[in-house]
Amino acid sequence: MDRPRLELDDDLVTLIQHAQEVLVSQDRLRGLLQASRRIVGDLDLDVVLNRIVSAARDLVDADFAALGVIGPEGTGLERFVHVGLDDETVTAIGHLPEGKGLLGLLIDDPRPIRLRDLREDPHAVGFPDHHPEMQAFIGVPIRAREEVFGNLYLTRREGKEFTDDDEAVVMSLAGTAGIAIENARLFEDGRRRQEWLATSTEVTRRLLAEPTGEPLELIADSVFRLSEADLVTVAQVTEAGDMTTVRVAVGAGADAVTGATYALENTFSELVLESGGPMRLADASDTHAHGTRRVFLADKVDLGPAIIVPLMGAAGPRGVLWAARRKHAHPFSPSDEDTIAAFANQASIAWELADARRAQQRVDLLEDRARIARDLHDHVIQRLFAAGLGLQALAMGAGDLAPKLEGVVDEIDDVIRQIRNSIFHLRPVEGGMRAAILDVVGEARSGLGFEPHVVFDGPIDNVSTPDLLNDVTAVLREALTNVAKHANATTADVRVDVRDHQLRVVVVDNGRGLGVVSRSSGMGNMRTRAESRDGTLVVEAATKGTGTSLQWRVPLSRRSADDAG
């Protein structure tokens, strides 16, 4: 008996619906395969992440899709890639999600989540201002080598829920995405390591080939360029080992910290110098987890993530390298920490070798000067002295020529005095004031862009004491730093002399002149150092042409003056 027509119609409708579902599934499968090919077809991580988000949105017809990259410590989101919101809406929303509420649940428990209405979920913390309303929600983790790299989020507005098939498609895409992300990360890590290795080799070559260069500036510039940091500083430990001075700073806020000196005690710099290893901070302004230790740079510049690396030498710590990013920037990864630390170790070795070469060159120069001084004393002065005695003997019976001969003898005596003064200059006391002054001038050369002219007069090293040496080098360093920062000069003359029981430091440049004198803590420090020794600081326009003259003068104790004489 024939089946009723109504039943046949129902079967036909069911068959058509099933055929449509098969066609939709085939279309989705083709779309998934095409999306997978697009995703794995590139090795640039940013491109891969954007393709994953766009493909996920298209495959399940979502209104909004995003991929949150989990931070290095496994808490919070360091990046948030999204599609579905226009630029105006994104700007109005402001700060992107950090991985709290429902998004944080996926980080803590990386299993798929599908909700009919995310607004009803107890973990939802609500939408920020200006965010469009969302209802249906799917969240799935993306794994790369058993590690959860991030989470894929998809939402729809009111009216349409996500199905089991939607979830299955997103899960399949997440599996492909994990492979693509791992490949891109391996490629990026390899490329970055190659860049660091090439830069490390170049820095070593330049430091050894150009011993007169500035090693700290070269190190800081290299780290700044490769680490994507906003500020890089290199601080050098003082000889006493209890203070550090920021010798070089590159990036945002560099002017605020360059030349600053701070105590090591209870700082993170002290911590890494004691441990000998690097340290990574998620936020340089939030240090509660490390007790009362402080970040000196954070008091001067608004900083976020940071890496601190000790610069070690054969005899102990030499300095500390800081690489920091601005507030709310993505944190440094463990790979960043390892790479920067390896570079810093290699750079420290090259720095020490370059210093050793400079020290050897200085020893060679001192030995050569000592030989010249001996020859002048043993040969030239003795012969001039003998010639002077002979002329004096002739003058006794020379009649009218006697005055002329005595004048020649006086000139010979004056030449002998000048030669003896030159001999004194040729025999600098190693580690004395003149050597320290030349070191300060050498440090300032890179900032100035030219070589200052240095003149010594009088027994500089004989009057040097540790506290006076500290004041003189501090004053000279501050004066040359001011010239580099403000004068726009092309020449600078440095004169240090001892005369009339006084020591005088004079720095004259040909820059733009005094202009409007503003408050300067550096100038105040120089004045305080002078006044504490009953001395004076005079800053005025240069006597010749444009420029500024700075004169720091302090009296010497009677005993020091007598020893110098």
Side-chain angles (χ1 to χ4, degrees):
M1 183 178 178
D2 294 336
R3 296 173 62 190
R5 181 175 181 82
L6 183 59
E7 292 183 12
L8 290 174
D9 289 343
D10 290 342
D11 290 342
L12 182 59
V13 170
T14 301
L15 181 62
I16 292 172
Q17 289 176 343
H18 181 68
Q20 290 175 335
E21 290 174 358
V22 170
L23 291 174
V24 170
S25 297
Q26 289 179 341
D27 288 341
R28 277 196 162 182
L29 180 59
R30 282 194 294 269
L32 181 61
L33 291 174
Q34 291 173 356
S36 298
R37 284 197 296 269
R38 288 198 304 271
I39 290 170
V40 299
D42 204 293
L43 291 174
D44 185 294
L45 184 58
D46 290 333
V47 173
V48 169
L49 296 181
N50 278 285
R51 287 182 178 179
I52 291 170
V53 176
S54 297
R57 182 194 180 206
D58 293 341
L59 284 172
V60 297
D61 193 25
D63 294 310
F64 174 77
L67 195 159
V69 180
I70 299 175
E73 307 301 330
T75 57
L77 300 177
E78 70 167 14
R79 297 175 67 184
F80 196 76
V81 183
H82 57 87
V83 295
L85 297 178
D86 55 47
D87 293 340
E88 184 177 348
T89 302
V90 172
T91 302
I93 292 173
H95 201 289
L96 293 174
E98 297 178 351
K100 299 177 182 178
L102 187 59
L103 304 189
L105 180 62
L106 263 171
I107 297 174
D108 297 334
D109 185 12
R111 290 182 296 177
I113 298 176
R114 179 158 55 96
L115 301 173
R116 183 185 63 83
D117 190 342
L118 61 85
R119 297 170 297 183
E120 298 175 357
D121 190 271
H123 296 97
V125 294
F127 295 108
D129 293 337
H130 309 291
H131 195 293
E133 287 292 328
M134 299 295 176
Q135 184 171 340
F137 175 84
I138 289 181
V140 299
I142 297 176
R143 287 182 168 85
R145 287 194 179 182
E146 302 305 319
E147 172 193 353
V148 178
F149 172 83
N151 295 305
L152 191 58
Y153 312 107
L154 298 118
T155 63
R156 287 175 179 162
R157 295 185 176 89
E158 296 182 6
K160 189 176 181 183
E161 299 178 22
F162 288 110
T163 64
D164 291 339
D165 289 342
D166 291 331
E167 183 176 336
V169 168
V170 175
M171 287 291 295
S172 297
L173 182 67
T176 303
I179 298 172
I181 288 170
E182 181 62 22
N183 289 338
R185 291 171 75 185
L186 290 173
F187 176 79
E188 180 67 14
D189 284 347
R191 184 188 64 79
R192 287 174 62 83
R193 289 181 185 277
Q194 186 177 15
E195 285 186 354
W196 279 103
L197 180 60
T199 302
S200 179
T201 302
E202 177 63 15
V203 167
T204 302
R205 185 195 66 78
R206 288 181 59 181
L207 289 180
L208 296 180
E210 305 169 15
T212 58
E214 281 299 323
L216 301 186
E217 186 172 302
L218 187 58
I219 292 170
D221 284 339
S222 300
V223 174
F224 180 77
R225 178 170 54 85
L226 294 177
S227 68
E228 298 179 358
D230 294 300
L231 174 66
V232 173
T233 68
V234 180
Q236 191 169 5
V237 178
T238 59
E239 291 186 8
D242 60 342
M243 306 282 287
T244 59
T245 299
V246 180
R247 296 297 185 203
V248 176
V250 183
D255 290 343
V257 297
T258 301
T261 298
Y262 62 94
L264 273 173
E265 185 178 3
N266 206 32
T267 65
F268 284 90
S269 296
E270 179 190 43
L271 187 61
V272 299
L273 289 173
E274 289 176 348
S275 68
M279 186 174 186
R280 186 159 41 94
L281 297 176
D283 187 349
S285 64
D286 182 13
T287 58
H288 300 298
H290 302 276
T292 59
R293 290 197 181 270
R294 64 188 182 89
V295 178
F296 170 79
L297 295 179
D299 296 336
K300 304 287 185 179
V301 184
D302 193 19
L303 298 180
I307 287 179
I308 321 159
V309 181
L311 300 175
M312 308 300 291
R318 305 196 67 185
V320 182
L321 183 146
W322 276 78
R325 289 174 179 157
R326 66 187 182 280
K327 275 281 192 182
H328 305 302
H330 65 278
F332 291 99
S333 67
S335 176
D336 292 329
E337 181 180 357
D338 294 341
T339 307
I340 294 176
F343 173 83
N345 289 336
Q346 182 70 21
S348 294
I349 296 172
W351 178 18
E352 188 149 280
L353 290 174
D355 281 354
R357 175 176 290 187
R358 278 194 292 268
Q360 183 59 50
Q361 289 177 339
R362 177 171 292 173
V363 169
D364 293 342
L365 178 62
L366 292 176
E367 290 178 348
D368 194 39
R369 287 180 173 180
R371 178 188 58 78
I372 295 171
R374 285 196 303 271
D375 290 345
L376 285 172
H377 183 273
D378 296 342
H379 301 292
V380 177
I381 287 182
Q382 297 301 330
R383 292 180 67 180
L384 284 172
F385 188 70
L389 289 177
L391 287 173
Q392 278 185 324
L394 287 174
M396 294 176 63
D400 295 339
L401 293 176
K404 292 184 179 181
L405 291 175
E406 289 175 355
V408 173
V409 171
D410 290 340
E411 289 185 6
I412 291 176
D413 288 340
D414 186 58
V415 170
I416 291 173
R417 282 193 296 270
Q418 292 182 20
I419 292 176
R420 281 178 173 163
N421 189 46
S422 298
I423 291 173
F424 187 85
H425 283 293
L426 288 170
R427 288 177 173 170
V429 179
E430 187 174 355
M433 184 177 290
R434 275 185 289 173
I437 287 171
L438 291 174
D439 285 342
V440 173
V441 172
E443 292 171 6
R445 182 172 54 244
S446 62
L448 292 167
F450 56 83
E451 180 81 34
H453 179 246
V454 184
V455 174
F456 296 107
D457 188 11
I460 307 297
D461 289 314
N462 286 11
V463 302
S464 178
T465 60
D467 57 334
L468 179 60
L469 177 62
N470 181 61
D471 282 348
V472 169
T473 53
V475 167
L476 181 58
R477 182 176 289 113
E478 181 65 32
L480 292 176
T481 299
N482 287 342
V483 173
K485 286 184 176 180
H486 309 299
N488 195 26
T490 57
T491 65
D493 294 322
V494 175
R495 181 181 181 87
V496 182
D497 58 42
V498 173
R499 60 175 63 179
D500 300 329
H501 307 306
Q502 288 187 328
L503 182 141
R504 190 176 60 142
V505 178
V506 181
V507 178
V508 180
D509 67 72
N510 69 339
R512 64 183 62 173
L514 286 172
V516 178
V517 180
S518 61
R519 180 183 178 275
S520 169
S521 59
M523 197 72 71
N525 289 339
M526 288 190 286
R527 191 179 305 280
T528 299
R529 290 179 186 274
E531 292 175 350
S532 67
R533 294 179 174 275
D534 297 326
T536 59
L537 173 70
V538 177
V539 181
E540 56 190 2
T543 56
K544 295 181 180 180
T546 60
T548 303
S549 170
L550 180 147
Q551 183 175 136
W552 188 85
R553 186 195 300 264
V554 294
L556 297 170
S557 65
R558 176 63 60 179
R559 181 176 178 180
S560 297
D562 291 342
D563 291 342

